[in-house]
């Protein structure tokens, strides 16, 4: 099922360094419509639930600590081909490999503190969106 929606988080490093507004501006200028948006703080347990798919990876514990280290912005975004186009806009996981002009190239600090999350499939976009938002939060 194609929903034309993706899910993003502006991660703690980008919020802490005051880049959330600039990142949301790039997202809107990239043609994405903000369907839902909130600033929130994940507990380590909830970060662990969100990134459950990575539970076996060596960086999982650090990732959960980092993702709960400060507030994030969570958002559902809409655009044709949203999942793939958003991954293009944010760039590679490791900012050292991210293309010029991408959000991670501009704002990420490291492979872990990489400024933004972007869903990797339509199915996960829907799961991740409903992790943060009820249907009545989505316009
Ligand atoms: P995201 O899911 O956050 O959009 P991604 O899909 O580009 O990122 P994943 O492989 O899903 O990358 O990894 C999830 C997150 O885990 C990364 O965004 C990063 O914060 C962290 N991470 C990934 N690989 C490493 C690593 N080798 N060392 C430390 N942290 C990592
Ligand atoms: Mg991922």
């Amino acid at each position: 099922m194609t929903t034309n929606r993706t899910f993003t988080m502006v991660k703690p490093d980008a919020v802490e360094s005051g880049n959330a507004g600039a990142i949301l501006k790039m997202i809107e200028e990239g043609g994405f419509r903000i369907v839902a948006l909130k600033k929130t703080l994940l507990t380590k347990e909830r970060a662990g639930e969100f990134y459950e798919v990575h539970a076996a990876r060596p960086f999982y514990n650090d990732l959960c600590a980092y993702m709960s280290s400060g507030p994030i912005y969570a958002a559902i975004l809409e655009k044709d081909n949203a999942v793939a186009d958003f991954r293009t806009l944010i760039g590679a996981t490791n900012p050292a490999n991210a293309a010029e002009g991408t959000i991670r190239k501009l704002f990420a600090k490291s492979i872990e503190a990489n400024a933004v999350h972007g869903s990797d499939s339509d199915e996960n976009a829907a799961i991740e969106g409903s992790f943060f938002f009820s249907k009545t939060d989505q316009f």
Side-chain angles (χ1 to χ4, degrees), residues 11 51 54 59 63 87 93 104 111-112 114 116-118:
K11 296 185 179 183
Y51 279 114
H54 295 308
F59 57 81
L63 175 63
R87 303 271 306 184
T93 309
R104 282 171 169 162
I111 191 171
E112 176 180 81
N114 60 0
V116 280
H117 164 79

Side-chain angles (χ1 to χ4, degrees), residues 44 51-66 111-112:
K44 194 172 179 200
Y51 279 114
E52 185 80 55
V53 62
H54 295 308
R57 308 284 284 278
F59 57 81
Y60 177 69
N61 198 49
D62 281 353
L63 175 63
C64 298
Y66 156 65
I111 191 171
E112 176 180 81

Side-chain angles (χ1 to χ4, degrees), residues 7-11 50-51 86 90 104 115-119 128:
F7 171 79
T8 187
M9 292 182 284
V10 179
K11 296 185 179 183
F50 185 89
Y51 279 114
F86 192 69
I90 69 180
R104 282 171 169 162
V116 280
H117 164 79
S119 303
E128 292 169 2

Side-chain angles (χ1 to χ4, degrees), residues 23-43:
I23 290 170
L24 290 171
K25 184 166 191 275
M26 281 185 72
I27 290 170
E28 287 196 315
E29 287 179 351
F32 294 86
R33 194 174 72 77
I34 296 174
V35 173
L37 175 67
K38 74 172 156 198
K39 190 177 189 185
T40 187
L41 181 64
L42 289 168
T43 61

Side-chain angles (χ1 to χ4, degrees), residues 73-87:
Y73 284 79
I76 296 173
L77 307 174
E78 193 169 72
K79 182 186 183 295
D80 286 350
N81 201 34
V83 167
D85 285 2
F86 192 69
R87 303 271 306 184

Side-chain angles (χ1 to χ4, degrees), residues 5 33-37 76 78 134-139:
R5 288 188 175 188
R33 194 174 72 77
I34 296 174
V35 173
L37 175 67
I76 296 173
E78 193 169 72
S134 67
K135 281 284 169 224
T136 53
D137 292 327
Q138 302 177 32
F139 304 98

